[in-house]
């Protein structure tokens, strides 16, 4: 057989096998073609912030096939390994199917009526000590309902998303620089840039489809340069033209070194800076805040002057030539540079600072506001932007970029929700780390959080320093943990009340991805057993509170705060589950939320427009012909309709109210837990391609679990040899907070330099977050999962 | 961005993107036939070859050097592969990209075996 014939032969048999598998599964005749009887609809992928769109194939009430959506601009039909298996997450054997209450230490099945009643009574006992903890996987309507219940109903601001652990620093970086959150650029920059700089960003592992989009240009022979600025070699490094390995924390010095060179060489973009920028720094470095104080250019110049390539080479370990290469690129007005980052910059004890600095070098060099020139943060969750950031499900925020501390913002929300004046509390609630610390502290010792409702996230595995922030709850009898989830998790292990939830296409939803793209989907299959929608749970709890007489559950006119009507104007009691699907509650909540997005020019598309697309990037503005147009490049006159004609670039939410963005100076500062004699290694944690976050979904998909069944510790061969550790050996990894037995992987997928270790966090059995540090950025309050001091020995 | 590059994007996947991926558990692993087989990675189904990313087979292969990875794309070195099937069992591609083919002719087999047709280009475009 010739090579060609053999290949064709293999192809054919594989296709036949796959076809047979599909028809067997659906109970159909073995000969039936795979596509027969399959109904196709669309949805965004359930996993990462890239926001690929998939086609979902349903037959006989089950998701039987998945395909990349060929019309989706984000992924053009491509998916990563997780995306191809996304349907499998619905069908793990241990789906939670019934509400359960812990009695004498054991979870026992109860009815939904009981479950909702217990939750409401717990809240009623001390509404001010109740907290909601959700995530960037909340759909927009889910987050909006939770936000309205707690802030508008209970006058309590203790609501946080896990995005505090993930995107909070990007938010403070954007707000202190531009006065408004979220990237100005979008993924199209990857199609236009000459240079892509990844700041501690392993894009091919974490945002694989996005990286394909860039890499595809390279494989077509385009001259584009990839710079991997990282602290260990990764899958992405293999594709890089320049790998720049820096000492953890010294990214601050590297960014300052680029600014120093631009000024030293007189190569900064004077026209851009004079027209569009101002300079800023922290007033008091020991107490940094969000807004800082204005400084002049001379002051800025003086402060960056010490970051010469020679000095920064000493701090960072990068050779002077590499630092000069970065300087050359930013100094060249013809080179288009896109910078991207994710957790490497955000999970950092000086996270707001490094975010500001990267924005700063793009502004100083004028590499901003045209296709290919952009500083862009990537999100890890499918709706970190859409829900956590835009709906503002954070303890200090209100929907649409508003703040609880601002009287006019509270007033706007009270008016919009038809609430009596003064209903919304002016004091921000507890941020994530504090919320869980208070929950795990006995009430008598000041632990002022008593009941927490957790939705769509797994803090029992994802919080840092888990002994202190989660496990210490055990034995505190007056603390009550309510967990809505789809599978048993590390969090349900300590839950007092477990609520079984509908997942992904078992409910309607709207997500917002990294590039401001809002995506909508409809429910396509029934949830298993008695599992129900999170948004229904929130409304049902609110209704029970209303029945129990909580005054906050009524608006100014005495109506229930979640009042929905049908087309004829009659109220539909959606809190009764058998009436819940009479109207599209998602749509009603989204329609109610949408006008709140206009204040900060984050105009979302109407629901009916959204449902016709695979997502649209806000601001989505109505045109004179009644159609809606998305915006790819914010603040740039050629694309953003809110920039005044003739201004070219305009930062219309400038913190200084003069259309200018802020170029910040922030110094390099050492990490609070640098390696020392006792704990001589840096420990970094993160994700792997095959698993998403804590693995609760991906570990239920046999192909993904089989591909990477457990976590491990990556170690440099020389360090391993010195410690007598061989590949695959059991080792004990320890930090000041605990120890963990893992197996060692030498020259594995990632290759840390000497003195560094890396462990993924998806493994529920070997939880690395028992060891991580809860030290956080003073401004964003986001903890540093990427650096702490550790030691390792053979077990 | 120009219309041309839009159309070209992910061209490596044209045809593939429109295929549905069955959402079903993989078939149970089959025991190794003890060295008379050889793994072949089919680029058509392999995530790494198709513009997505994957490195699972080369990471889990027990035979050093049996799976060679260049620019992120794996291929099997027939001289080193023992036919142990590990790569096949762990491959997470929507359609398993690893095929085990006979090294020696089996009774009734039409055409030549993989070993008999060596040396030749690896099975990739
Ligand atoms: S890159 Fe992210 S959004 Fe796209 S398929 Fe993979 S997990 Fe899903
Ligand atoms: S069959 Fe075994 S030896 Fe051959 S490539 Fe696969 S894993 Fe390696
Ligand atoms: S495990 Fe399968 S999909 Fe992954 S690189 Fe190997 S052959 Fe390709």
């Amino acid at each position: 057989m010739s090579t060609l014939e053999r290949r064709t032969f293999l192809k054919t048999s594989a296709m036949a096998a796959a076809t047979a598998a599909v028809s067997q599964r659906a109970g159909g005749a073995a000969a039936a073609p795979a596509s027969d009887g399959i109904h196709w609809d669309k949805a965004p992928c359930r996993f990462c912030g890239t926001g690929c769109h998939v086609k979902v194939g349903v037959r006989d009430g089950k998701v039987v096939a998945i395909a990349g959506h060929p019309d989706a601009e984000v992924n053009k039909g491509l998916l990563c390994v997780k995306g191809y298996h996304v349907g499998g997450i619905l069908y793990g054997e241990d789906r939670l199917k019934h509400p359960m209450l812990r009695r004498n230490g054991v979870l026992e099945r109860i009815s939904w009526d009981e479950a909702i009643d217990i939750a409401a009574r717990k809240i009623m006992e001390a509404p001010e000590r109740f907290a909601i903890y959700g995530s960037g996987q909340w759909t927009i309507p889910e987050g909006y309902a939770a936000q309205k219940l707690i802030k508008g109903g209970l006058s309590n601001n203790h609501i946080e998303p896990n995005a505090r652990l993930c995107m909070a620093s990007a938010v403070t970086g954007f707000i202190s620089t531009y006065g408004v959150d979220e990237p100005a650029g979008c993924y199209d920059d990857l199609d236009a840039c000459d240079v892509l700089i990844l700041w501690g960003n392993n894009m091919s592992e974490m945002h694989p489809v996005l990286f394909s989009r860039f890499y595809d240009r390279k494989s077509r022979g385009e001259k584009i340069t990839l710079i991997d600025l990282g602290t260990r070699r990764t899958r992405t490094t293999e594709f890089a033209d320049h790998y720049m390995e820096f000492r953890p924390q010294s990214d601050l010095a590297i960014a300052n070194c680029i600014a120093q060179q631009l000024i030293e060489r007189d190569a900064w973009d004077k026209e851009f800076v004079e027209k569009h920028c101002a300079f800023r720094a922290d007033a008091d470095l020991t107490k940094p805040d969000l807004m800082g104080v204005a400084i002049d250019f001379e002051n800025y110049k003086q402060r960056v002057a010490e970051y010469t390539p020679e000095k920064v080479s000493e701090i960072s370990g990068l050779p002077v030539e590499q630092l000069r290469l970065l300087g050359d690129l930013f100094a060249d007005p013809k080179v288009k540079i896109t910078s991207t980052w994710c957790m490497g910059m955000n999970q950092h004890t000086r996270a707001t600072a490094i975010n500001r600095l990267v924005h700063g070098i793009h502004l100083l060099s004028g590499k901003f506001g045209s296709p290919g020139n952009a500083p862009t943060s990537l999100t890890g969750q499918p709706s970190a932007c859409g829900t956590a950031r835009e709906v503002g499900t954070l303890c200090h925020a209100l929907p649409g970029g508003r703040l609880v501390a601002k009287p006019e913002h509270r007033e706007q929300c009270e008016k919009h929700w038809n609430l009596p004046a003064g209903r919304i509390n002016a004091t921000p609630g507890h941020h994530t780390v504090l919320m869980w610390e208070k929950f795990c502290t006995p009430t008598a010792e000041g632990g002022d959080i008593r009941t927490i409702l957790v939705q769509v996230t797994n803090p029992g595995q994802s919080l840092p320093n888990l002994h202190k922030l989660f496990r210490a709850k055990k034995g505190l009898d007056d603390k009550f943990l309510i967990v809505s989830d789809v599978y048993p998790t590390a969090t349900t292990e300590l839950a007092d009340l477990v609520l079984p939830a509908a997942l992904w296409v078992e409910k309607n939803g709207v997500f917002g991805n990294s590039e401001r793209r809002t995506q909508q989907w409809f429910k396509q299959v029934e949830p298993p057993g008695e599992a129900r929608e999170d948004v229904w749970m929130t409304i049902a709890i609110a209704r029970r509170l209303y029945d129990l007489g909580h005054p906050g559950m009524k608006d100014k006119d005495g109506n229930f705060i979640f009042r929905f009507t049908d087309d004829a104007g009659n109220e539909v009691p959606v809190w009764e589950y058998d009436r819940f699907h009479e109207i599209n509650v998602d749509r009603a909540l989204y329609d109610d939320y949408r006008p709140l997005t206009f204040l900060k020019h984050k105009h979302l598309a109407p629901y009916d427009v959204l449902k016709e697309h695979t997502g649209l990037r806000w601001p989505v503005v109505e045109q004179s012909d009644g159609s809606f147009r998305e915006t790819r490049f914010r603040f740039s006159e050629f694309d953003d309709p809110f920039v005044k004609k003739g201004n070219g670039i305009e930062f219309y939410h400038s913190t200084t109210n003069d259309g200018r963005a802020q170029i910040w100076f922030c110094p390099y500062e050492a990490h609070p837990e640098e390696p020392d004699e006792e704990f001589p290694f840096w420990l970094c944690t993160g994700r792997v391609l095959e698993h998403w976050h804590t693995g609760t979904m991906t570990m239920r998909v046999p192909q993904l679990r089989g591909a990477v069944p457990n976590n491990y510790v990556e170690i440099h061969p020389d360090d391993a040899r010195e410690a007598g550790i061989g590949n695959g050996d059991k080792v004990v990894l320890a930090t000041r907070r605990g120890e963990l037995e893992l197996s060692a992987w030498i020259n594995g997928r990632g290759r840390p330099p000497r003195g560094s270790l890396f462990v993924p966090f998806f493994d529920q059995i070997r939880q690395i977050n028992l060891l991580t540090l809860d030290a956080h950025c003073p401004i964003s309050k986001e903890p540093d999962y990427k650096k702490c001091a550790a030691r390792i020995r053979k077990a | 961005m120009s219309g041309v590059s839009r159309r070209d994007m992910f061209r490596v996947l044209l045809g593939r993107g429109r295929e549905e991926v069955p959402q079903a558990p993989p078939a149970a692993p089959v025991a190794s036939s003890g060295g008379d087989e050889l793994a072949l990675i089919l680029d058509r189904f392999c995530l790494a070859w198709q513009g997505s990313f994957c490195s699972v087979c080369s990471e889990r292969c027990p035979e050093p050097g049996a799976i060679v990875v260049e620019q992120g794309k794996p291929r099997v070195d027939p001289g080193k592969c023992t036919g142990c099937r590990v790569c096949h069992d762990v491959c997470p591609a929507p359609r398993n990209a690893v095929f085990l083919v006979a090294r020696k002719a089996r009774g009734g087999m039409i055409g030549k075996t993989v070993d008999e047709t060596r040396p030749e280009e690896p099975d990739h475009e």
Side-chain angles (χ1 to χ4, degrees):
Chain A
M1 222 188 281
S2 76
T3 312
L4 190 69
E5 280 165 339
R6 193 181 62 215
R7 204 179 290 140
T8 316
F9 167 75
L10 287 173
K11 251 186 229 173
T12 324
S13 29
M15 295 290 280
T19 308
V22 170
S23 45
Q24 271 164 20
R25 210 177 132 71
S35 59
D36 225 17
I38 295 183
H39 176 262
W40 291 93
D41 202 342
K42 60 152 191 141
C45 171
R46 176 61 181 75
F47 303 118
C48 89
T50 302
C52 299
H53 223 76
V54 301
K55 292 198 331 178
V56 184
V58 173
R59 182 161 59 190
D60 300 336
K62 266 192 120 170
V63 174
V64 294
I66 291 291
H69 204 302
D71 305 329
E73 280 176 271
V74 171
N75 54 305
K76 292 274 172 195
L78 183 68
L79 295 174
C80 80
V81 62
K82 294 184 295 300
Y84 285 119
H85 293 294
V86 64
I89 63 174
L90 303 174
Y91 303 116
E93 282 164 14
D94 53 346
R95 272 296 292 268
L96 296 171
K97 293 184 180 140
H98 309 284
M100 290 181 289
L101 178 69
R102 195 174 296 279
R103 289 189 182 114
N104 305 317
V106 185
L107 285 172
E108 290 175 3
R109 182 172 168 179
I110 58 169
S111 72
W112 265 113
D113 283 350
E114 277 176 281
I116 296 295
D117 182 60
I118 291 164
R121 282 179 194 278
K122 278 288 168 193
I123 298 166
M124 199 67 181
E125 281 170 17
E128 72 290 352
R129 294 184 176 202
F130 169 62
I132 299 182
Y133 187 68
S135 79
Q137 300 154 69
W138 253 336
T139 66
I140 288 173
E142 285 167 356
Y144 184 64
Q147 173 85 308
K148 188 171 179 183
L149 164 66
I150 197 159
K151 288 187 181 137
L154 298 172
S155 304
N156 164 343
N157 292 330
H158 297 312
I159 179 171
E160 281 274 282
N162 67 354
R164 177 72 74 183
L165 311 173
C166 147
M167 293 314 300
S169 316
V171 177
T172 50
F174 280 112
I175 291 185
S176 58
T177 301
Y178 310 101
V180 64
D181 187 23
E182 296 197 32
C186 63
Y187 298 164
D188 297 23
D189 290 310
L190 297 181
D191 306 332
C193 64
D194 302 312
V195 177
L196 175 62
I197 304 182
L198 306 175
W199 293 79
N201 181 202
N202 181 5
M203 201 196 272
S204 66
E205 188 94 18
M206 309 311 165
H207 299 85
V209 171
L210 198 54
F211 189 69
S212 299
R213 184 164 172 163
F214 173 81
Y215 190 69
D216 192 48
R217 289 179 63 200
K218 212 175 165 106
S219 50
R220 279 204 303 268
E222 285 188 46
K223 251 186 82 71
I224 41 177
T225 304
L226 179 66
I227 296 182
D228 178 19
L229 259 168
T231 59
R232 68 180 173 118
R233 288 182 170 273
T234 66
R235 185 194 293 283
T236 310
T237 312
E238 194 172 344
F239 304 100
D241 298 278
H242 302 280
Y243 172 54
M244 304 188 179
E245 188 172 274
F246 63 93
R247 198 176 163 274
Q249 192 83 357
S250 69
D251 42 1
L252 295 156
I254 296 167
N256 278 332
C257 180
I258 294 171
Q260 185 273 345
Q261 293 181 70
L262 286 170
I263 292 171
E264 166 100 12
R265 302 176 188 197
D266 201 30
W268 50 293
D269 189 335
K270 292 172 200 70
E271 199 192 326
F272 186 92
V273 173
E274 267 153 30
K275 265 204 203 146
H276 307 302
C277 306
F279 293 90
R280 221 159 176 89
D282 289 307
D284 176 356
L285 267 182
T286 60
K287 288 191 233 74
D289 64 7
L290 186 61
M291 291 308 170
V293 289
I295 55 172
D296 60 18
F297 174 70
E298 281 309 315
N299 187 325
Y300 175 80
K301 183 176 164 179
Q302 243 171 14
R303 297 206 203 185
V304 296
E306 62 169 304
Y307 293 92
T308 59
E310 290 71 25
K311 177 174 168 185
V312 172
S313 175
E314 271 169 42
I315 300 173
S316 67
L318 289 195
V320 169
E321 305 76 66
Q322 288 195 329
L323 290 161
R324 288 203 198 284
L325 172 69
L326 290 171
D328 293 344
L329 292 169
F330 275 94
D332 185 342
K334 292 190 295 293
V335 175
K336 287 180 282 181
I337 302 181
T338 295
S339 287
T340 61
W341 65 94
C342 197
M343 294 309 111
M345 269 171 50
N346 292 346
Q347 295 177 336
H348 197 306
T349 52
R350 286 291 176 270
T352 306
I354 182 64
N355 269 268
R356 288 166 173 171
L357 293 177
V358 172
H359 291 300
I361 54 176
H362 274 266
L363 293 167
L364 192 64
S365 60
K367 301 207 179 295
F368 185 96
S370 55
N373 280 320
T376 298
S377 70
L378 304 175
T379 55
Q381 298 187 81
S383 200
C385 282
T387 307
R389 292 160 75 170
E390 292 160 30
V391 179
T393 55
L394 294 136
C395 65
H396 65 282
L398 286 166
R402 293 171 176 81
L403 299 171
V404 297
K406 285 205 171 172
E408 68 272 25
H409 289 174
R410 293 196 302 276
E411 212 177 287
Q412 286 158 5
C413 291
E414 284 160 355
K415 217 171 141 214
H416 185 75
W417 288 336
N418 193 34
L419 302 173
R423 173 70 70 74
I424 299 173
N425 192 328
T427 314
H430 294 333
H431 61 79
T432 296
V433 171
L434 191 60
M435 178 190 283
W436 288 98
E437 196 178 318
K438 294 288 184 188
F439 185 63
C440 291
T441 304
T443 311
E445 291 165 31
D448 63 6
I449 296 294
R450 211 177 136 177
T451 299
I452 298 187
L453 166 64
V454 176
Q455 288 185 325
V456 283
T457 184
N458 184 14
Q461 189 172 338
S462 60
L463 286 167
N465 198 357
L466 281 169
H467 286 298
K468 175 179 162 192
L469 296 183
F470 186 74
R471 297 209 174 168
K473 184 257 175 196
K474 212 168 178 171
L476 301 180
D477 290 338
D478 63 333
K479 306 281 181 166
F480 197 78
L481 183 61
I482 309 169
V483 181
S484 154
D485 212 323
V486 298
Y487 289 110
T489 64
T491 310
T492 61
E493 265 173 42
L494 288 195
D496 299 288
L497 180 63
V498 174
L499 307 175
L503 172 61
W504 192 47
V505 294
E506 293 166 356
K507 61 186 180 186
N508 292 337
V510 188
F511 277 165
N513 84 347
S514 294
E515 59 161 354
R516 297 177 275 107
R517 183 184 294 275
T518 318
Q519 316 189 61
Q520 177 275 353
W521 77 94
F522 286 120
K523 173 179 169 178
Q524 291 155 44
V525 293
E526 289 298 325
E530 292 182 292
R532 293 180 183 179
E533 291 86 342
D534 283 292
V535 80
W536 173 82
M537 296 178 207
T538 303
I539 294 169
I541 291 172
R543 185 63 188 193
R544 191 71 197 115
L545 286 165
Y546 174 99
D547 294 339
L548 293 171
H550 193 290
M553 296 302 119
K554 287 184 181 166
D555 69 8
K556 234 163 47 183
D557 303 326
N559 285 321
F560 180 39
I561 55 170
F562 292 105
R563 184 173 190 273
F564 300 103
T565 51
D566 60 18
D567 289 343
N570 301 315
E571 182 165 9
V572 183
V574 296
W575 53 88
E576 293 170 16
Y577 193 66
D578 51 3
R579 307 283 309 270
F580 179 68
H581 298 101
E582 275 178 26
I583 56 165
N584 182 348
V585 172
D586 248 48
R587 183 207 184 102
L589 286 165
Y590 182 87
D591 283 349
D592 189 48
Y593 160 61
R594 197 176 148 250
L596 290 172
T597 64
F598 301 162
L599 177 76
K600 299 279 179 179
H601 301 94
K602 299 184 178 184
H603 297 54
L604 294 189
Y607 195 85
D608 285 332
V609 174
L610 224 45
K611 74 179 199 221
E612 301 307 323
H613 288 85
T614 53
L616 289 169
R617 286 166 282 192
W618 61 256
V620 181
V621 180
E622 189 164 6
Q623 307 295 290
S624 48
D625 65 357
S627 67
F628 284 82
R629 178 186 178 277
E630 65 168 355
T631 304
R632 297 183 301 150
F633 303 97
R634 269 165 104 205
F635 310 130
S636 296
E637 182 183 332
F638 77 92
D639 197 45
D640 184 339
F642 297 116
V643 173
K644 271 190 235 55
K645 292 290 158 246
N647 279 3
I649 299 272
E650 185 187 346
F651 298 104
Y652 44 73
H653 285 294
S654 167
T655 54
T656 41
N657 298 316
D658 54 0
R660 289 172 186 273
Q662 311 300 317
I663 297 176
W664 281 80
F665 170 76
C666 301
Y668 162 74
E669 292 169 275
H671 191 267
E673 197 182 87
E674 302 239 348
D676 55 17
E677 256 173 48
E678 204 187 343
F679 294 94
F681 286 87
W682 285 109
L683 169 64
C684 182
T685 68
R687 289 209 292 109
V688 293
L689 171 60
E690 292 80 358
H691 291 298
W692 197 73
H693 277 198
T694 57
T696 52
M697 294 180 283
T698 49
M699 283 295 271
R700 262 83 184 182
V701 177
Q703 290 92 335
L704 299 175
R705 188 175 62 239
V708 187
N710 55 266
N711 68 352
Y712 46 79
V713 52
E714 288 172 358
I715 181 170
H716 190 278
D718 294 344
D719 288 330
R721 191 167 348 100
E722 277 172 21
I725 296 167
N727 209 3
D729 283 358
K730 287 263 169 288
V731 297
V732 177
L733 180 65
T735 67
R736 291 187 171 83
R737 292 153 293 282
E739 53 175 50
L740 193 64
E741 196 174 287
L742 294 163
S743 46
W745 198 8
I746 301 166
N747 290 330
R749 187 176 291 190
R751 298 178 184 200
R754 286 209 72 169
S756 267
L757 306 166
F758 175 85
V759 181
F761 75 98
F762 69 85
D763 193 330
Q764 185 174 341
I765 298 164
R766 289 156 282 264
Q767 293 186 27
I768 190 61
N769 281 324
L770 293 164
L771 274 59
T772 48
L773 185 66
D774 55 335
H776 46 72
C777 168
I779 303 171
S780 71
K781 316 287 192 256
E782 177 166 342
D784 189 338
Y785 291 85
K786 299 293 184 188
K787 303 174 216 65
C788 69
R791 65 177 171 227
I792 189 166
R793 62 175 167 83
K794 199 167 167 180
Chain B
M1 178 176 165
S2 76
V4 174
S5 54
R6 263 271 172 250
R7 196 169 343 108
D8 281 358
M9 189 185 296
F10 307 137
R11 79 207 180 294
V12 283
L13 279 170
L14 283 182
R16 179 200 179 84
R18 277 158 221 278
E19 281 168 19
E20 68 273 19
V21 171
Q23 302 291 291
V30 183
S32 160
S33 56
D36 23 343
E37 286 186 327
L38 166 71
L40 280 180
I41 292 169
L42 204 64
D43 54 351
R44 176 94 172 73
F45 296 153
C46 170
L47 291 161
W49 282 91
Q50 292 300 327
S52 205
F53 297 91
C54 186
S55 51
V56 172
C57 55
S58 57
E59 288 164 2
R60 305 282 292 280
C61 168
E63 223 31 62
I67 299 183
V68 185
V69 182
E70 276 156 11
Q71 280 288 293
K73 299 181 175 71
R75 69 188 161 77
V76 175
D77 179 345
K80 294 195 175 130
C81 173
T82 62
C84 74
R85 284 182 175 266
V86 166
C87 52
H88 174 271
D89 293 347
V90 297
C91 174
R95 291 196 175 86
N96 200 311
V98 185
F99 289 80
L100 274 293
V101 293
R103 278 187 184 272
K104 297 191 183 65
R106 286 179 184 158
M109 183 174 180
I110 297 167
K112 289 178 178 165
T113 68
V114 181
D115 271 6
E116 285 162 355
T117 54
R118 284 175 70 197
E120 63 171 32
E121 286 294 293
D123 191 54
H124 306 304
E125 263 108 65

